[in-house]
Amino acid sequence: MDLEKEIQAGRLLTGTDQKMVEGSSYQLRLGNVYYDLSENGKRIELTEGEKVLIKPGHRVVLITEEEFNVPANMVSRVVSKGSLFSIGLSPVATYADPGFSGNLGIVTQNFSNRYVELSQGEPIAKADFSKLSKPATKLYNGQHGFQAEIWPIKTHLQKTHSEVANDRRVFSEQEEALALLPEATRVTIRRLENRVLWLLAMLVLAISLNGIALYLVETKSHLLDDFYGVLGSLIASGIVAVLALVVGFLGRTK
């Protein structure tokens, strides 16, 4: 099959640019609509010149500028551009069934810690077309989410921690949250938590010792007793300060 001739004739794809034909595939471009699944499937229509903005950790559906028109005897396989992997977007592999007609939605997630901007018309995926040995009998049926102005999300499959807390495979919310982080980050957070606990304990100790010293000062009228009370308070504060320095030093060297 001559892909370039098919596209020139307006078959397989419409709204195309001949420059996007590359070897045996066509480079699909980003349209002016996308959905942010991390914000309850919010539909965002871009103004002229406005870019798609994918926030860190967010999952989005990018809608292609081109429209598919897959005949009954063909199938199209779609993979995202390798250049998008390097900036933190998850890889995509999907397909358009025989009979599919309309713009294609490509789901991807930003795994980086930076905001990703994509310009309208930028190539985001490649589509190739394969001819079947015989026409499919069960063709794609139904409106695509883009045409219906919704994106069908099976939200009933998504659960909060409280809804699955009794499952034996689910740990505390804090442990589950830490499990999502890299090991080095988890270790650092645990060390910080332990250091805070030690510092709080020493703070309580300092307050207690100073309280005892002040009590001795208030209940004794002799000058020597006053001196010993103040000295005890200073010694208690010094001990706590030294312990805090030791804990901080050990925390840095581990």
Side-chain angles (χ1 to χ4, degrees):
M1 179 187 66
D2 190 325
L3 180 61
E4 191 168 1
K5 286 184 177 179
E6 290 292 317
I7 290 176
Q8 280 181 342
R11 295 187 286 269
L12 304 180
L13 293 167
T14 57
T16 58
D17 182 348
Q18 289 297 125
K19 295 178 182 178
M20 293 296 107
V21 178
E22 187 178 77
S24 61
S25 62
Y26 178 89
Q27 298 186 86
L28 298 168
R29 296 168 297 163
L30 179 61
N32 64 349
V33 173
Y34 72 103
Y35 296 82
D36 194 326
L37 299 182
S38 299
E39 296 184 3
N40 298 318
K42 181 180 178 182
R43 176 188 171 97
I44 302 172
E45 294 192 30
L46 303 173
T47 58
E48 185 177 354
E50 190 178 12
K51 297 180 179 180
V52 166
L53 179 66
I54 309 175
K55 301 175 184 179
H58 277 223
R59 288 177 296 112
V60 298
V61 183
L62 305 175
I63 305 299
T64 62
E65 183 173 336
E66 293 81 5
E67 291 189 28
F68 281 76
N69 186 21
V70 184
N73 65 337
M74 299 195 75
V75 65
S76 177
R77 294 177 179 83
V78 179
V79 293
S80 52
K81 294 277 291 183
S83 59
L84 300 182
F85 306 161
S86 61
I87 59 175
L89 297 184
S90 62
V92 177
T94 186
Y95 56 89
D97 284 313
F100 176 81
S101 179
N103 304 78
L104 188 69
I106 297 175
V107 182
T108 188
Q109 182 168 1
N110 181 6
F111 285 113
S112 74
N113 59 355
R114 297 189 178 187
Y115 293 83
V116 174
E117 287 187 336
L118 299 175
S119 301
Q120 297 179 52
E122 181 174 341
I124 56 172
K126 289 184 176 183
D128 65 70
F129 295 84
S130 300
K131 198 168 186 177
L132 304 177
S133 58
K134 61 180 181 179
T137 55
K138 293 183 179 180
L139 302 180
Y140 180 90
N141 185 27
Q143 249 185 338
H144 191 263
F146 174 68
Q147 278 74 24
E149 296 190 352
I150 60 170
W151 188 260
I153 306 171
K154 297 181 179 180
T155 54
H156 65 282
L157 299 178
Q158 297 176 314
K159 306 294 181 183
T160 63
H161 182 270
S162 60
E163 290 176 314
V164 296
N166 294 328
D167 192 305
R168 61 185 176 83
R169 297 164 295 181
V170 178
F171 301 101
S172 70
E173 193 166 7
Q174 182 183 21
E175 290 176 310
E176 293 290 350
L178 287 173
L180 297 174
L181 301 174
E183 183 178 0
T185 305
R186 291 200 301 271
V187 171
T188 301
I189 291 176
R190 291 296 191 192
R191 286 177 180 172
L192 288 173
E193 288 177 339
N194 291 334
R195 194 179 303 178
V196 168
L197 289 174
W198 272 101
L199 291 174
L200 288 174
M202 283 183 279
L203 180 61
V204 171
L205 177 62
I207 294 173
S208 301
L209 292 176
N210 277 285
I212 293 172
L214 290 173
Y215 173 77
L216 293 175
V217 170
E218 291 294 329
T219 55
K220 301 292 184 179
S221 58
H222 301 293
L223 181 62
L224 187 60
D225 292 330
D226 293 348
F227 171 76
Y228 283 136
V230 173
L231 181 62
S233 177
L234 291 174
I235 291 174
S237 298
I239 292 172
V240 172
V242 170
L243 289 174
L245 289 174
V246 170
V247 170
F249 177 76
L250 293 176
R252 290 183 63 185
T253 55
K254 284 184 179 180

